[in-house]
Amino acid sequence: DARVTQTPRHKVTEMGQEVTMRCQPILGHNTVFWYRQTMMQGLELLAYFRNRAPLDDSGMPKDRFSAEMPDATLATLKIQPSEPRDSAVYFCASGLPGHNYGYTFGSGTRLTVV
Amino acid sequence: GNSVTQMEGPVTLSEEAFLTINCTYTATGYPSLFWYVQYPGEGLQLLLKATKADDKGSNKGFEATYRKETTSFHLEKGSVQVSDSAVYFCALGAQSEGGSYIPTFGRGTSLIVHP
């Protein structure tokens, strides 16, 4: 089965450090999402790309977070500087546009900021 | 705007019991409806979907029927197993006014099945 690959699976970092999370969407999928999952807030949409162009990043704290798709096989989410409140599991999902399609999620990056 | 409301968990059942997880939605137009499952330490996986009213989605013994009259998409399984223990998310997909297709997820319902 085709998979969305996320790296790293786990990341522990000190407050103030830069964190980069990577995602390889399924080949042929032109829609990519970044989500953050916490116990308190549940799933939060951070960014949404179609054909590598950012269409919605309203859920992302702009002062420290940035999301890009340098090419069709790679999406990145960066946090600089990181803070303890950023500790969460970050998921990437890819799919095709249209509301009839479901999306395929990666296994996530568990980030801990100490 | 679009929204999805799920019953709060955890839902705790004994093996072979009947499962229902309620889901209702609010949306304009004609959304598609989905159930995703998240096992511990993993991402969400698409479990089943229905794209129009009265459609029934089914997979792995789970099923859900798209009820437009009650705006519901309840998840059911006749006999749960310990391996079904997971968090279940109801979601809807609809085109927004801006033309995007951002899915709307419920908060998730944790299911715990005891032997």
Side-chain angles (χ1 to χ4, degrees), chain A residues 78-97:
Chain A
K78 291 186 181 181
I79 308 174
Q80 168 62 16
S82 58
E83 297 181 2
R85 59 179 168 155
D86 301 328
S87 298
V89 182
Y90 292 81
F91 288 104
C92 173
S94 74
L96 298 171

Side-chain angles (χ1 to χ4, degrees), chain B residues 12-17 80-83 85 112-115:
Chain B
T12 304
L13 295 173
S14 297
E15 204 165 27
E16 298 184 3
V80 293
Q81 305 300 311
V82 172
S83 58
S85 298
I112 301 169
V113 180
H114 293 294

Side-chain angles (χ1 to χ4, degrees), chain A residues 36-44, chain B residues 107:
Chain A
R36 176 170 62 185
Q37 186 178 40
T38 61
M39 290 294 290
M40 293 299 293
Q41 300 297 328
L43 269 177
E44 299 175 276
Chain B
R107 296 268 310 174

